[in-house]
Amino acid sequence: MTAYGYELAGALRAGQTVLTAWSALPETGFVGLLAGAGFDAVTLDMQHGGHTEQSVWHGIEAITAQRVPAIVRVPVGRFEMASRALDFGADAVIAPMINSVDDARAFAAFMKYPPLGERSWGPTRAIGVRGIEGGNAYLGRANAETLAFAMIETRAALDSLDAILAVEGIDAVFVGPADFSIAWTGGERLEPTLDDMMDAVAGIATRAKKAGKLAGIFAADPAMVPRYAQMGYGLIAAGFDAAIVRKGADAVLSAARGDR
């Protein structure tokens, strides 16, 4: 395989901070703009965003055309879509609401080829859009270099964290701080940057590293990125498409109107 095949896994395992744009709008042209805007990766969101199988198919091609890693967050429980996302050419898949060892095992089964999992063979699209070697060369590297991120966003997931991390085929965890804040406060508050839960958030990254696994997180406030990186989070979502457009428009209009 060429080095281009799986730069995401290599970068994260080398300790680099990878900043991903978060795409909710299922428009291929705009996905391509995000991929060319300077982010280290682009994540296509099928859970809360509008992405569908068709837009993921086209979006991954737009992302890889810019030689940027492509990540897909699948809907809750749609583990079969994890396999399809990999077959479409994704470097990694994020699965939400992994609350137990059974959830983690089910997710890993669809992400990994035997003997780790039960992923069925059919990565023709992935091989084609990336221009990489297929057959046994792909088979020999895919398990290690296509990453399974299990989302940790509930009390149940936190309680089961070490067991989830111990599941073969789970490469990483990914914290959803919005849902985590709701769980942390017993449903009383939505506050992704809640200071009271930051020790727990830091502890997730520490426990992942101790288990030899990677960690990622969504930064609702981009100013939190350095703090998350210091905690040990490697993959950090640093902005979603609607917010990026709004902030860009604000900057343009402010300059045009001569605001000070």
Side-chain angles (χ1 to χ4, degrees):
M1 286 188 179
T2 64
Y4 170 48
Y6 298 107
E7 63 268 35
L8 178 64
L12 290 172
R13 288 179 177 136
Q16 297 178 29
T17 299
V18 175
L19 302 180
T20 182
W22 202 267
S23 169
L25 303 174
E27 204 289 310
T28 303
F30 193 70
V31 170
L33 288 175
L34 283 177
F39 288 93
D40 302 313
V42 176
T43 300
L44 305 177
D45 186 8
M46 298 181 74
Q47 183 192 8
H48 295 303
H51 279 286
T52 63
E53 291 187 34
Q54 183 176 21
S55 70
V56 168
W57 174 277
H58 293 297
I60 288 174
E61 184 172 19
I63 296 165
T64 56
Q66 295 291 332
R67 302 184 73 80
V68 171
I71 304 167
V72 176
R73 179 165 74 168
V74 298
V76 176
R78 285 285 310 276
F79 299 138
E80 89 289 348
M81 185 61 217
S83 290
R84 289 180 65 75
L86 296 182
D87 286 346
F88 292 177
D91 293 83
V93 175
I94 300 170
M97 293 293 172
I98 301 298
N99 294 325
S100 67
V101 171
D102 287 344
D103 291 342
R105 287 173 178 162
F107 175 41
F110 280 94
M111 285 291 293
K112 304 298 181 180
Y113 291 118
L116 288 182
E118 301 172 9
R119 181 183 170 191
S120 177
W121 181 258
T124 304
R125 171 74 168 181
I127 292 164
V129 296
R130 293 186 170 279
I132 56 179
E133 187 178 356
N136 286 326
Y138 180 91
L139 178 63
R141 295 184 64 174
N143 278 356
E145 297 178 332
T146 51
L147 302 177
F149 280 84
M151 286 199 75
I152 304 299
E153 45 194 342
T154 66
R155 287 279 189 174
L158 184 63
D159 290 344
S160 299
L161 177 61
D162 292 331
I164 290 170
L165 286 165
V167 172
E168 283 193 284
I170 297 298
D171 302 292
V173 291
F174 191 94
V175 175
D179 279 309
F180 196 76
S181 72
I182 296 171
W184 190 258
T185 62
E188 293 182 359
R189 297 174 68 181
L190 169 63
E191 191 174 339
T193 59
L194 181 66
D195 193 60
D196 182 59
M197 69 182 192
M198 284 301 130
D199 284 346
V201 170
I204 292 170
T206 298
R207 290 159 71 181
K209 183 177 181 180
K210 183 177 180 181
K213 304 293 177 77
L214 304 167
I217 194 168
F218 190 101
D221 178 358
M224 290 290 293
V225 168
R227 186 175 180 185
Y228 288 145
Q230 188 174 31
M231 290 177 183
Y233 287 96
L235 177 67
I236 306 176
F240 66 96
D241 45 17
I244 291 167
V245 170
R246 283 197 299 269
K247 289 179 181 179
D250 286 346
V252 168
L253 291 172
S254 178
R257 292 166 176 163
D259 296 341
R260 296 182 181 275

